């Protein structure tokens, strides 16, 4: 009986061991699957965070690019404004120089009212400033003092054309051409003659061909 019980107990124990033996492997597989799903979840979460970070960085990069563009435009505007200021400053300095020249020649005229060159220079300055009427008056005084003043005739003709005095302009330029020819200044003669013809035919000096005084600088 004892033997039978022992055998039965051994058989029962073996059956239990046989039934329990596969459990650790199944449990390991289950844990592995759980860990893998957890890892996949972490990876997906990290990938989502990385995607969000990249999107934020892309937005910040676009903002920086916009700021750089605005800064570049601002710098260009500053350069343009500075260039305009420099141009205006040069124009102001030029006008001030003209005004000083007018004052200088006025003082010469006050000392010597018969100084034809001073009248001519002052008329030239008025013409350069765009005051054709004042220029005509001074050129006329220079011609009154020196009736052979060819340059004064020429520039008065240009000023009269600016004022719309076609007849007076043509007469002055023809007189200037005659005097230049007599004085042997062929280049100025041809210039005055051609300008007189153009004004006679067209009626005035075209804007794109606007004539300037013979002397651009003061004597």
């Amino acid at each position: 009986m004892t033997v039978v019980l022992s055998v039965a107990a051994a058989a029962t124990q073996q059956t239990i061991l046989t039934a329990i033996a596969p459990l650790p492997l199944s449990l390991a597989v289950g844990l592995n699957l759980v860990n893998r799903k957890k890892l996949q979840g972490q990876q997906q979460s990290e990938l989502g965070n990385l995607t969000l970070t990249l999107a934020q960085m892309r937005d910040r990069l676009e903002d920086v690019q916009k700021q750089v563009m605005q800064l570049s435009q601002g710098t260009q505007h500053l350069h343009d404004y500075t260039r305009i200021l420099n141009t205006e400053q040069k124009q102001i300095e030029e006008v001030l120089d003209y005004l000083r020249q007018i004052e200088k020649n006025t003082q010469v005229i006050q000392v010597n009212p018969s100084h034809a060159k001073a009248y001519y220079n002052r008329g030239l300055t008025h013409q350069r400033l765009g005051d054709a009427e004042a220029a005509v008056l001074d050129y006329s005084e220079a011609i009154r003092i020196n009736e052979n003043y060819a340059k004064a005739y020429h520039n008065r003709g240009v000023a009269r054309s600016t004022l719309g005095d076609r007849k007076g302009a043509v007469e002055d330029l023809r007189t200037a051409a005659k005097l230049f020819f007599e004085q042997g200044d062929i280049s100025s003669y041809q210039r005055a003659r051609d300008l007189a013809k153009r004004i006679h035919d067209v009626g005035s000096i075209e804007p794109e061909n606007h004539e300037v005084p013979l002397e651009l600088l003061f004597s």
Side-chain angles (χ1 to χ4, degrees):
M1 185 65 178
T2 300
V3 174
V4 172
L5 290 174
S6 296
V7 171
T12 302
Q13 184 177 6
Q14 183 64 34
T15 301
I16 294 173
L17 289 175
T18 301
I20 294 177
L23 289 179
L25 179 60
S26 299
L27 181 61
V29 172
L31 291 175
N32 187 30
L33 291 175
V34 171
N35 290 333
R36 182 177 297 177
K37 290 181 179 180
K38 183 177 180 180
L39 180 61
Q40 288 177 348
Q42 291 176 348
Q43 289 177 344
Q44 290 177 351
S45 177
E46 291 177 355
L47 181 61
N49 292 335
L50 180 60
T51 302
L52 178 61
T53 301
L54 289 176
Q56 293 174 346
M57 291 179 65
R58 184 168 55 253
D59 293 339
R60 292 181 61 183
L61 179 60
E62 291 178 355
D63 291 338
V64 171
Q65 290 175 340
K66 291 179 181 178
Q67 293 175 2
V68 171
M69 183 177 298
Q70 292 174 352
L71 179 61
S72 178
Q73 293 175 348
T75 302
Q76 183 61 43
H77 292 160
L78 179 60
H79 289 166
D80 293 341
Y81 184 66
T82 302
R83 185 167 57 252
I84 292 173
L85 287 179
N86 290 336
T87 301
E88 291 180 348
Q89 182 178 357
K90 290 179 181 178
Q91 292 175 344
I92 292 174
E93 292 175 353
E94 188 178 52
V95 170
L96 290 175
D97 182 60
Y98 287 155
L99 294 176
R100 284 191 292 266
Q101 290 294 335
I102 289 175
E103 178 62 23
K104 174 183 176 181
N105 286 292
T106 299
Q107 292 175 359
V108 173
I109 292 170
Q110 289 174 347
V111 174
N112 182 8
S114 298
H115 201 301
K117 185 68 172 179
Y119 278 109
Y120 174 81
N121 283 341
R122 194 172 69 176
L124 181 64
T125 309
H126 283 304
Q127 195 168 7
R128 295 294 292 169
L129 285 172
D131 190 350
E133 292 181 354
V136 168
L137 292 175
D138 279 338
Y139 290 142
S140 296
E141 282 298 312
I143 292 170
R144 183 185 63 81
I145 297 170
N146 178 8
E147 61 182 10
N148 295 320
Y149 210 144
K151 290 181 179 180
Y153 277 107
H154 180 281
N155 288 352
R156 190 175 71 172
V158 173
R160 282 180 167 176
S161 176
T162 302
L163 294 172
D165 183 2
R166 175 183 178 184
K167 181 179 178 181
V170 172
E171 289 178 353
D172 278 346
L173 287 166
R174 286 176 176 174
T175 301
K178 175 178 177 293
L179 292 172
F180 282 133
F181 184 80
E182 292 174 352
Q183 296 167 8
D185 189 347
I186 303 303
S187 176
S188 296
Y189 156 74
Q190 292 176 341
R191 180 177 182 180
R193 183 195 61 183
D194 294 343
L195 184 57
K197 185 177 184 303
R198 186 161 77 243
I199 293 176
H200 180 271
D201 294 341
V202 178
S204 63
I205 302 175
E206 295 299 325
E208 62 271 17
N209 296 321
H210 186 66
E211 191 74 13
V212 297
L214 284 175
E215 297 180 3
L216 300 182
L217 301 176
F218 296 101
S219 301

